[in-house]
């Protein structure tokens, strides 16, 4: 195995390619098809390289860490970031109001939340007749429920998105240790800043102004922290939140279950199933009922005709993001959708099986975390309609992985890699 510093350098290069290919390099519009290939390859490289490192663990705070100067510096920096986000968000909120002519995601979520606040729980998913002459809400409960408190008090619901992003950047800052592997950590800090500035100040992906993706990003940040903590209860809860916000986790759930089965973690399987059932009941069945679940279960079949409409009305969507749909074109939508479904299930589970067989000879660590990253790369790169704002959930997962790998000094390599 290559020395650890070279592995760190290689995985940082992959993260650099992934980050730049989904942010500032997109300004060179003619490069986007080439960048989408780089983005895909870099995203695949990160989970493969992660297998060569010992188990990534969440750091335990030292005693009296709240009194440490470094904690104070981080809190001050988070406060400054919050002020910057507040200023920029005020600007974008005034510049781009919540309106279906800008984007229909937030208007739909707002109507769903208003129905819920009014006590019309069973009607949350009813057709909204005044949006595009009647549109069927499709957002899963963990997507729109976080916006309910803001709706109840009359606050712009995009502050919830900002809160999710602020939390995600705060997690990075508390994990970040620039004094270890200084040059590599400095580059990671620069990439984190570029990602932050791209999302907040440039607003090209529209995360701040027109999307709900800040909530999803926060869920996946929590899932990463849960996986490295090893707490099965938190893993079950955070995985449920991710699954009940977007379908992007659909391929990881069976892969993670297979991982637990192969590792004979019977108790963890039971906890994972129990927390999933409880979250599904509390967040889905109780608020909106079984009939709504049956209705939403058939919605993925509508993505093919939806993608055809986007190809007709807004073809620039496919040439301005790092998704691979551009290469399939409007005539191979069904084939792309079939690939999306099949690869989303086959690749993560096949990856876990490969890791298990490899462990017969060499212990393999970080399988669940690597499978999570791989699942996101496959799902979003092959998604039918690759809206740009969707790709930054995977970016934050990569950011946390690289940051945690750079926290530890070289002596970690002497430990066991069994995970």
């Amino acid at each position: 195995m290559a020395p650890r510093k070279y592995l760190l350098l290689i995985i940082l290069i992959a993260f650099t390619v992934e980050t730049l290919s989904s942010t500032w390099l997109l300004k060179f519009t003619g490069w986007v098809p080439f960048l989408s290939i780089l983005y895909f390859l870099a995203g695949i490289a990160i989970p493969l390289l992660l297998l060569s490192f010992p188990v990534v663990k969440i750091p335990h705070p030292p005693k009296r860490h709240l009194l440490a100067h470094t904690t104070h510096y981080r809190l001050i920096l988070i406060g400054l970031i919050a002020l910057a986000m507040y200023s920029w968000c005020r600007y974008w909120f005034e510049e781009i109001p919540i309106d279906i002519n800008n984007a229909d995601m937030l208007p739909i979520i707002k109507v769903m939340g208003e129905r819920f606040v009014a006590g019309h729980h069973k009607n949350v998913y009813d057709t909204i007749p005044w949006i595009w002459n009647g549109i069927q809400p499709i957002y899963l409960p963990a997507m729109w429920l976080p916006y309910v408190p803001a709706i109840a008090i009359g606050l712009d619901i995009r502050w919830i998105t900002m809160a999710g992003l602020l939390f995600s950047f705060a997690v990075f800052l508390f994990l970040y240790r620039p004094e270890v592997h200084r040059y590599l950590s400095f580059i990671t800090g620069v990439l984190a800043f570029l990602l932050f500035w791209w999302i907040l100040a440039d607003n090209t992906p529209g995360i701040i102004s027109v999307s709900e993706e800040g909530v999803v990003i926060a869920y996946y940040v929590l899932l990463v922290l849960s996986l490295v903590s090893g707490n099965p209860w938190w893993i079950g809860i955070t995985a449920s939140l991710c699954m009940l916000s977007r379908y992007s986790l659909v391929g990881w759930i069976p892969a993670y279950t297979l991982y637990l089965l192969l590792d004979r973690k019977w108790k963890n399987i039971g906890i994972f199933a129990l927390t999933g059932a409880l979250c599904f009941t509390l967040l889905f069945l109780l608020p909106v009922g079984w009939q709504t679940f049956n209705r939403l279960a058939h919605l993925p079949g509508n993505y093919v005709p939806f993608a055809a409409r986007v190809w007709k009305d807004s073809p620039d969507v496919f040439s301005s993001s790092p998704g691979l749909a551009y290469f399939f074109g409007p005539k191979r939508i069904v084939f792309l959708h079939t690939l999306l479904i099949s690869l989303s299930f086959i690749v993560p589970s096949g990856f876990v099986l490969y890791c298990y067989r490899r462990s017969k000879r060499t212990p393999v660590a970080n399988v669940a975390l690597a499978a999570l990253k791989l699942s996101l790369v496959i799902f979003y790169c092959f998604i039918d309609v690759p809206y740009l704002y969707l790709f930054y959930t995977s970016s934050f997962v990569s950011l946390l992985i690289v940051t945690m790998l750079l926290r530890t000094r070289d002596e970690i390599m002497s430990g066991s890699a069994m995970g």
Side-chain angles (χ1 to χ4, degrees), residues 67-79:
L67 301 178
H69 292 307
T70 53
T71 300
H72 298 161
Y73 296 149
R74 287 183 170 92
L75 290 174
I76 291 171
L77 187 55
I78 291 170

Side-chain angles (χ1 to χ4, degrees), residues 372-390:
L372 172 64
K373 173 61 184 176
L374 184 62
S375 298
L376 292 175
V377 172
I378 295 297
F379 185 87
Y380 286 120
C381 284
F382 287 93
I383 197 167
D384 305 79
V385 183
Y387 289 114
L388 183 56
Y389 64 84
L390 296 172

Side-chain angles (χ1 to χ4, degrees), residues 100 111 115 123 126-137:
I100 60 172
V111 171
R115 289 172 172 175
N123 304 111
D126 287 354
T127 300
I128 305 173
W130 58 91
I131 297 182
W132 307 130
N133 297 317
I135 194 168
Q136 170 74 58

Side-chain angles (χ1 to χ4, degrees), residues 78-356:
I78 291 170
L80 293 175
I81 290 174
L83 286 175
M85 293 183 77
Y86 175 78
S87 299
W88 277 108
C89 287
R90 286 286 302 272
Y91 169 78
W92 290 119
F93 292 177
E94 293 174 5
E95 190 75 12
I96 307 174
I98 297 177
D99 189 279
I100 60 172
N101 293 311
N102 294 322
D104 62 12
M105 299 92 73
L106 293 178
I108 293 171
I109 287 175
K110 188 176 180 181
V111 171
M112 297 173 76
E114 288 171 346
R115 289 172 172 175
F116 188 82
V117 170
H120 307 307
H121 299 173
K122 304 302 181 183
N123 304 111
V124 167
Y125 284 91
D126 287 354
T127 300
I128 305 173
W130 58 91
I131 297 182
W132 307 130
N133 297 317
I135 194 168
Q136 170 74 58
I138 63 172
Y139 298 107
L140 296 171
M143 178 73 80
W144 58 267
L145 279 173
Y147 293 95
V148 167
I151 293 170
I153 63 176
L155 191 68
D156 191 314
I157 63 174
R158 290 173 291 187
W159 290 114
I160 302 299
T161 300
M162 195 208 81
L165 290 172
L166 179 61
F167 166 77
S168 302
F169 279 112
V171 169
F172 159 72
L173 287 175
F174 272 97
L175 292 174
Y176 184 57
R177 288 183 62 183
E179 72 276 11
V180 183
H181 303 290
R182 292 184 179 179
Y183 297 112
L184 300 182
S185 295
F186 173 76
I187 295 172
T188 303
V190 170
L191 292 170
F193 174 78
L194 291 175
L195 179 62
F196 169 79
W197 204 248
W198 171 261
I199 289 174
L200 186 70
D202 191 274
N203 195 44
T204 294
I207 291 181
I208 291 291
S209 57
V210 298
S211 90
E212 66 288 349
E213 209 62 23
V215 171
V216 181
I217 289 171
Y219 288 154
Y220 275 88
V221 167
L222 285 171
L223 178 56
V224 170
L225 294 178
S226 300
L227 285 173
V228 297
S229 74
N231 187 309
W233 292 98
W234 281 115
I235 293 172
I237 292 171
T238 54
S240 298
L241 290 174
C242 293
M243 187 62 208
L244 290 174
S245 62
R246 284 209 184 279
Y247 295 110
S248 51
L249 200 69
V250 67
W252 183 80
I253 297 294
Y256 181 67
T257 304
L258 177 62
Y259 162 72
L260 295 177
L261 286 170
L262 294 175
D263 219 25
R264 299 184 180 181
K265 295 182 178 180
W266 314 118
K267 180 181 178 181
N268 290 29
I269 294 173
I271 294 173
F272 191 62
L274 176 63
T275 50
L278 288 175
C279 289
F280 176 73
T281 302
L282 293 174
L283 295 177
F284 208 128
L285 292 186
L286 291 182
V288 297
W290 183 262
Q291 185 177 359
T292 301
F293 168 73
N294 285 333
R295 186 192 307 175
L296 290 181
H298 295 88
L299 283 179
N302 297 332
Y303 289 158
V304 171
F306 173 71
R309 289 197 302 271
V310 177
W311 268 109
K312 180 181 178 181
D313 299 334
S314 305
D316 57 302
V317 168
F318 300 90
S319 59
S320 58
S321 77
L324 297 175
Y326 171 84
F327 295 102
F328 291 84
K331 296 182 179 181
R332 297 184 179 88
I333 299 175
V334 175
F335 177 58
L336 175 62
H337 187 72
T338 303
L339 273 180
L340 170 66
I341 295 174
S342 57
L343 294 179
S344 293
F345 283 100
I346 294 172
V347 173
S349 295
F351 175 77
V352 168
L353 189 60
Y354 157 76
C355 293
Y356 176 75

Side-chain angles (χ1 to χ4, degrees), residues 46-57:
I46 290 173
L48 293 177
L49 290 166
L50 183 58
L51 298 177
S52 299
F53 289 88
V55 179
V56 177
K57 294 182 179 180

